Amino acid sequence: MATYQAPIREIGFVLNDVLNVGRLAEQIPAFAEATPDMLLGLVDEAAKLIENQIAPLNHVGDQQGCRIKDGVVSVPEGFADAYKLYSEAGWMSLCNTPDFDGQGLPYTLAKVVEEMLCSANVAFALYPGLTTGCFEALYANASDEIKQTYLPKLSTGQWSGTMCITEAHAGSDVGAAKTKAIPNGDGSYAIDGGKIFITSGEHEMAENIIHFVLARLPDSPPGVKGLSTFVVPKFLPKADGAPGERNQLHAANIEHKMGINGSCTCVMQFDGAKGWMVGAPNTGIQNMFVMMNLARIMVGFQGLGQCELATQNAIRYAIDRKQGKAFNGKPEIIEHPDVRRMLLQMKATTEGARVLGYETAYYVDVTHHHPDPAVREEAQDWVDLNTPLVKAFCTDSAVELGSLAIQVYGGHGFIKEHGVEQIARDSKILCLYEGTNGIQAMDLVRRKLMMHNGRLAERFFAAVRSDLNADAPLGWITRPLGRAVDELESATQFLIESFKTSPDTAGFAAVDYQRAFCLTYLGWNWLRMTKAVAKHPDEGFRKGKLATAEFFVTRMLPQVHALLGTVRAPTASLSELEAANF
């Protein structure tokens, strides 16, 4: 059975030696007490709970799934107790504002804990994850009255939350939503319509479930410009804040899925349910994207968690498994070059992606809390640029590494009792929800490259080049990385120009370009890790890092050139092909 052990040493190395997140305590008054020792102490405490109480439920959740009877959804055995334990211990409120019962700690810490939770049990992680997302959306957009009513209980997990966007006929075309919001005349609205794919839409683990719903007013314009957002509780809060009368909404069904079976994914029906508007009329898409952008980072961390789970189980198995003899005469399969190739690819991907994810989280903290507006502006550029990268690369990698883990196990990997095939099944949805990874690529090319006259990408190129020095002893990594950066920058300019006249060219190139960007970013991460590990006291850790860096530079970074070679490929005949001729 697949097992999980939190990579505490690796986490500390990235946080402190590579990224120096101790800067948060030094530069941001609100985080003065969030020293490196304090953060790692909390990570260690969270790891104990996650490893001992939540990881063992991963297989149980997959096998049992969720069940619905008469509109009541039952979650897998042990989930309710684990949710209560996790929320009451305060892990859901880590980075929420103290104004609403949060602990006011860095978002970066919350993401590290989330990575561990997603490694241990990604289906379980969706219950606190969507609750946090609902909190973030209401905190950014709701009136003071709504905040006071809902945020304290969402913050602690006493109430849970959802995001209700998707409708059966619309899919990713959010503007096609038809759910109606009819004024009741008392400041509330009657919400009428159906939503699908609603994570945590119905369960009994929390006292109440708060739905953040996208709907359309009667006189609103068509498309995305006519959408508004509403808070719609399962139970209407009474004057004292306690759950009261049941609202007119229910789970009509639950989805039977390929993976994440422990997460209840519901078809929700709103039959005139009472809700209250969040934000101004017809600003729903802007309000929703506050939640969506942070949710995309959340999904990236789900992918990172699954990458770690796949990698550590594959390594453990390869060390123990004896079969035949390698060229050196040893029987363990880790001695076979091809097995080492797979394991090193998994390590290079996971460890490089961890730096990408943690750095993005760090910049979210800086954006929200740094006292200098200029520093906040630069940090926001990094968050905007990195969000589609984190979401797409980490989740694509989760599927890829899940498949590699199965390959390392051989036939045993295809058998359910070993647990690694669950990684592949659980991970695929991560590439699809909160905007498919193709949508992330188009977001990068259509929006992020164009913002502020190309400033976001320029910051990236400048930052990488500031760390390059081809004459240094690290020339084996700086020279190929420099070539990748030069070629990526040239392709970036090509896409910016071609999108103005030939958007189909950019559309065909977007996914390959996005992956090339991510691999270049990981090249920078491996340069920084290589520099940081030079002073590490553990010789074995140092040797492992340097060997993995060498693998990345010689085996993975060269893919950038092939990927970017497709960016300029002609697409006219591809775009003009009639659908009937496919």
Side-chain angles (χ1 to χ4, degrees):
M1 186 55 56
T3 58
Y4 174 67
Q5 183 176 358
I8 299 296
R9 180 175 63 175
E10 186 69 32
I11 289 169
F13 173 71
V14 174
L15 288 177
N16 297 326
D17 300 332
V18 181
L19 297 178
N20 185 22
V21 298
R23 291 174 291 171
L24 292 173
E26 296 168 0
Q27 299 172 3
I28 298 174
F31 297 149
E33 296 182 3
T35 62
D37 286 345
M38 177 193 182
L39 295 182
L40 283 182
L42 288 170
V43 169
D44 194 52
E45 285 302 310
K48 294 174 185 176
L49 171 64
I50 290 167
E51 290 172 351
N52 296 326
Q53 303 296 326
I54 298 175
L57 301 175
N58 192 36
H59 181 68
V60 173
D62 184 57
Q63 293 300 300
Q64 292 184 0
C66 297
R67 301 169 300 281
I68 185 169
K69 183 177 181 180
D70 299 328
V72 177
V73 173
S74 300
V75 297
E77 183 179 329
F79 270 47
D81 290 340
Y83 179 88
K84 187 173 187 290
L85 189 63
Y86 187 81
S87 60
E88 289 184 352
W91 297 113
M92 290 176 62
S93 62
L94 282 176
C95 66
N96 295 337
T97 174
D99 294 341
F100 298 109
D101 290 355
Q103 299 179 55
L105 289 164
Y107 176 83
T108 305
L109 171 64
K111 291 294 112 175
V112 172
V113 173
E114 187 166 56
E115 181 211 328
M116 296 191 296
L117 188 64
C118 292
S119 288
N121 194 330
V122 69
F124 177 89
L126 291 169
Y127 294 99
L130 268 292
T131 299
T132 298
C134 186
F135 176 97
E136 290 163 345
L138 294 180
Y139 181 72
N141 301 294
S143 65
D144 288 342
E145 182 180 2
I146 288 176
K147 289 179 181 179
Q148 293 295 337
T149 300
Y150 295 99
L151 291 189
K153 292 182 174 64
L154 284 170
S155 179
T156 61
Q158 184 177 349
W159 293 358
S160 70
T162 78
M163 177 166 58
C164 296
I165 300 177
T166 308
E167 300 183 13
H169 62 283
S172 295
D173 183 10
V174 177
K178 296 180 180 178
T179 298
K180 300 176 182 179
I182 310 298
N184 286 325
D186 61 356
S188 69
Y189 293 79
I191 310 300
D192 198 80
K195 300 286 185 178
I196 64 169
F197 304 158
I198 307 307
T199 301
S200 311
E202 175 58 41
H203 57 83
E204 296 187 320
M205 295 194 299
E207 291 180 358
N208 205 350
I209 301 175
I210 312 306
H211 302 281
F212 190 60
V213 183
L214 202 63
R216 193 178 297 280
L217 297 170
D219 57 351
S220 292
V224 295
K225 294 182 179 179
L227 295 171
S228 301
T229 42
F230 301 85
V231 58
V232 186
K234 174 181 175 180
F235 295 105
L236 299 172
K238 296 189 292 188
D240 62 1
E245 178 187 353
R246 175 71 187 248
N247 210 348
Q248 296 300 306
L249 58 91
H250 67 280
N253 204 352
I254 58 173
E255 308 288 0
H256 300 283
K257 310 183 294 291
M258 171 181 171
I260 58 167
N261 293 320
S263 169
C264 54
T265 309
C266 299
V267 177
M268 295 300 301
Q269 187 64 38
F270 297 87
D271 300 314
K274 182 173 285 191
W276 290 264
M277 186 178 293
V278 175
N282 303 325
T283 62
I285 196 66
Q286 298 95 309
N287 301 341
M288 191 62 75
F289 265 97
V290 171
M291 186 178 189
M292 181 73 77
N293 285 329
L294 290 172
R296 287 174 172 175
I297 297 173
M298 175 187 73
V299 176
F301 273 82
Q302 292 169 9
L304 176 59
Q306 291 292 285
C307 286
E308 174 62 34
L309 183 65
T311 300
Q312 63 176 248
N313 278 276
I315 292 172
R316 277 196 295 267
Y317 184 82
I319 289 173
D320 293 338
R321 174 68 168 165
K322 295 179 180 180
Q323 184 173 342
K325 287 187 178 180
F327 296 133
N328 61 12
K330 295 181 179 180
E332 295 83 9
I333 66 171
I334 197 170
E335 301 296 337
H336 289 274
D338 188 56
V339 174
R340 292 198 163 205
R341 172 191 62 82
M342 291 187 284
L343 297 179
L344 284 165
Q345 181 178 335
M346 297 173 81
K347 275 177 57 65
T349 300
T350 301
E351 293 169 17
R354 181 172 285 112
V355 178
L356 171 62
Y358 287 14
E359 183 160 55
T360 305
Y362 165 81
Y363 279 122
V364 170
D365 276 321
V366 175
T367 297
H368 290 165
H369 299 287
H370 200 282
D372 187 336
V375 175
R376 293 200 303 271
E377 179 186 80
E378 180 177 354
Q380 185 63 59
D381 281 357
W382 281 101
V383 174
D384 289 338
L385 176 68
N386 285 12
T387 296
L389 305 182
V390 170
K391 199 281 185 183
F393 185 79
C394 293
T395 59
D396 280 341
S397 297
V399 175
E400 182 180 17
L401 271 54
S403 179
L404 281 173
I406 295 170
Q407 196 72 24
V408 170
Y409 275 66
H412 293 289
F414 199 67
I415 305 302
K416 285 195 172 186
E417 68 183 80
H418 290 280
V420 290
E421 55 82 37
Q422 183 185 341
I423 299 171
R425 290 188 291 106
D426 283 350
S427 295
K428 186 56 192 177
I429 185 59
L430 311 180
C431 306
L432 306 176
Y433 59 25
E434 308 306 342
T436 67
N437 288 353
I439 289 174
Q440 304 308 310
M442 288 307 298
D443 176 53
L444 176 64
V445 171
R446 289 183 61 183
R447 295 188 64 246
K448 304 306 171 58
L449 296 187
M450 308 295 177
M451 288 173 64
H452 307 299
N453 296 316
R455 188 177 73 197
L456 278 60
E458 288 173 2
R459 287 194 192 278
F460 170 78
F461 297 130
V464 179
R465 288 197 173 103
S466 71
D467 279 341
L468 293 175
N469 183 354
D471 297 326
L474 293 177
W476 59 271
I477 185 170
T478 58
R479 282 190 290 270
L481 178 57
R483 290 192 292 271
V485 170
D486 290 344
E487 193 166 346
L488 182 65
E489 185 173 36
S490 175
T492 300
Q493 292 305 314
F494 172 81
L495 280 180
I496 290 173
E497 292 303 317
S498 67
F499 189 80
K500 299 173 184 176
T501 57
S502 179
D504 280 351
T505 298
F508 270 97
V511 168
D512 286 343
Y513 172 82
Q514 177 174 253
R515 181 162 180 83
F517 205 124
C518 292
L519 288 172
T520 305
Y521 204 126
L522 260 66
W524 182 35
N525 294 347
W526 274 108
L527 172 61
R528 291 183 286 175
M529 283 191 280
T530 300
K531 290 180 178 180
V533 83
K535 299 178 181 179
H536 201 281
D538 187 324
E539 182 181 4
F541 183 76
R542 188 166 63 250
K543 286 182 176 179
K545 271 283 182 283
L546 292 176
T548 309
E550 179 183 350
F551 179 89
F552 180 85
V553 170
T554 57
R555 305 284 176 139
M556 296 179 68
L557 187 61
Q559 296 172 24
V560 170
H561 306 292
L563 289 164
L564 293 179
T566 68
V567 170
R568 293 181 172 84
T571 61
S573 62
L574 309 179
S575 300
E576 293 167 4
L577 180 65
E578 296 289 340
N581 294 327
F582 269 80

